[in-house]
Amino acid sequence: MRLALAAAAAFLLAACATAPRPTAEQSWAGRFSVTATLGDWRDSVSGRFLLERSPGFLALDLSTPVGGTVARIEIDAAGARARGVQIAETRGPDAEALTQQLLGFGLPVRGLPDWIEGRPMPDRIATIEPQGGPIERIEQDGWRISILERSATGTPRRLLMERAELDGAPAVKLQLVLDAPAAP
């Protein structure tokens, strides 16, 4: 499992040549920490992330804590692909299936842009708390998203995303701390 988590860090974090991509309409940057546990086993990794979104395209770059890119995940109409210094290009139908294939557990890449904005993904079943007022918790697609801190402008600044152990896959805790609010 430690190898899987190290691969996750490498997968989520490495520089590589990519085809030209759309200019991001929104981007978020910050720090991440992910911890996976299964029985007595526990492992964690942390670093920096850059998430960019444009119509029909989502890209997630994962870097070491000092900024060296380790992996890139791209999602478009053709599916998802991952590239990295230590990862041959890998493809999947979507980012969750791709991370499941590479790591043994899925990561909520598709939900990140909406959850970072403090709202559930549209057109997906979700439970939010509280009803009315700023959302503090979202439950969606098997993940519980807690907004732990907001910036002075009210946008989420620190989030915790948790998924329980499921069908032999480890429980996952993903924490994000945003550097700045979303930028066009």
Side-chain angles (χ1 to χ4, degrees), residues 30-171:
R31 299 181 315 258
F32 76 90
S33 170
V34 63
T35 301
T37 57
L38 184 62
D40 292 337
W41 174 84
R42 175 187 165 105
D43 207 349
S44 61
V45 65
S46 62
R48 297 199 50 81
F49 73 91
L50 173 63
L51 180 65
E52 298 176 307
R53 176 169 64 179
S54 59
F57 184 80
L58 183 67
L60 175 63
D61 291 320
L62 300 168
S63 304
T64 65
V66 294
T69 303
V70 176
R72 178 177 185 86
I73 300 172
E74 295 177 341
I75 306 163
D76 59 23
R81 66 193 152 277
R83 298 177 179 127
V85 172
Q86 298 177 9
I87 302 169
E89 182 172 324
T90 305
R91 294 182 174 268
D94 59 47
E96 289 72 23
L98 183 61
T99 57
Q100 179 71 40
Q101 173 188 341
L102 291 171
L103 310 173
F105 54 91
L107 292 174
V109 178
R110 176 186 49 207
L112 291 178
D114 291 300
W115 297 342
I116 286 172
E117 289 292 316
R119 64 179 176 250
M121 289 182 286
D123 304 323
R124 314 271 311 163
I125 296 172
T127 303
I128 59 171
E129 297 175 12
Q131 298 293 323
I135 295 173
E136 294 177 13
R137 245 176 247 91
I138 302 166
E139 290 192 26
Q140 194 169 39
D141 287 357
W143 290 87
R144 181 179 180 154
I145 300 89
S146 300
I147 299 169
L148 304 176
E149 180 184 334
R150 291 184 179 271
S151 70
T153 62
T155 59
R157 173 158 160 40
R158 194 165 59 96
L159 299 100
L160 173 63
M161 300 165 203
E162 301 174 280
R163 194 197 66 213
E165 197 173 301
L166 180 65
D167 297 329

